[in-house]
Amino acid sequence: MVIMASFFRCVTAAAVLLVLIVTTSEAGNFKAGDWIAAHATFYGDSTGLDDDMGGACGYKNMQAIGFGCNTAALSTPLFDNGKACGGCFEIRCTGSKYCLPGASSVTVTGTNLCPPNYEKNPDKYEGGWCNPPRLHFDMSMPSWLSIGQYEGGIIPVMYRRVPCQRSGGVKFKFSGNAYWLLVYLLNVGGPGDADGVWVKGDNTDWIAMSRNFGAAWQAFSNLGGMGLAFKIQAHSSDDTIICNAVADASWSAGVTYQAAINFDS
């Protein structure tokens, strides 16, 4: 009863965010993919909003950044060294007595890594569900309970990549300093992910940033006192967008700036 009450509180709190997680079949050049077989478990507390849900991607406060409680940690092949951070996956339970009767599917955002445990043999149901090469989703409890029954623990699923529907432009959370800019990409629509990021100051050419980890990108250049623009190359499609005038010359670390455009706008 406590679990279900927390689940409904999560759904109620996230109601205003539903527009962010509803999927369509196409956004920009990114289209929904084919259905692929996998498995799913759940982790975290019953709210699905714990900051630990975004650790390997660098996300915090799932509600504030628009992901709500529909998130998942991805096994190594799905996580792809952080390239899947921010991507959206539609998941449905299939072929199990533990599928929730009447449930259709749920769309989650990839926000974390489900690490392997080589001491456990998943073929013997000992654990190790995320051991490569397994395709596995360790979902937040509320998202898992929307397609599976609690006593099942692990269920077979079908999944596909789908476009992320976000509200407004891409967000850039600044950290670091004038000589080392660290930026977390948030609220990325369409493919939801990034394979390359560039920054341009008022007095510079485009500077290639490198992935620090997950959704965090860094540039080792003196960018203090300059307005900044960004270019993002998606990982899961051929889309590239240029976000002009993201931050003015007075930008500072600890502030989140929002562009006027997104992949799906």
Side-chain angles (χ1 to χ4, degrees), residues 172-177 181-182 184 251-257:
F172 302 81
K173 181 181 177 182
F174 282 23
S175 187
N177 54 60
L181 178 64
L182 183 67
Y184 296 84
W251 65 265
S252 61
V255 178
T256 299
Y257 300 89

Side-chain angles (χ1 to χ4, degrees), residues 58-61 64-66 167-176 181-188 215 228 230 245-248 250-260:
Y59 301 130
K60 293 184 178 180
N61 197 337
I65 64 177
S167 179
V170 176
K171 295 181 180 179
F172 302 81
K173 181 181 177 182
F174 282 23
S175 187
L181 178 64
L182 183 67
V183 173
Y184 296 84
L185 294 185
L186 306 172
N187 201 51
V188 181
L228 301 180
F230 292 88
V246 171
D248 63 26
S250 63
W251 65 265
S252 61
V255 178
T256 299
Y257 300 89
Q258 187 164 22

Side-chain angles (χ1 to χ4, degrees), residues 84-145:
C85 288
C88 293
F89 301 81
E90 184 180 3
I91 303 173
R92 56 182 173 87
C93 183
T94 181
S96 172
K97 65 179 181 180
Y98 295 114
C99 292
L100 186 67
S104 55
S105 64
V106 62
T107 297
V108 300
T109 301
T111 60
N112 206 353
L113 169 67
C114 181
N117 183 352
Y118 295 110
E119 295 182 357
K120 303 293 185 180
N121 186 347
D123 294 331
K124 296 181 179 180
Y125 273 71
E126 298 175 344
W129 310 123
C130 291
N131 290 354
R134 294 174 63 89
L135 301 176
H136 191 92
F137 297 87
D138 204 13
M139 303 167 65
S140 68
M141 185 180 290
S143 63
W144 194 93
L145 288 174

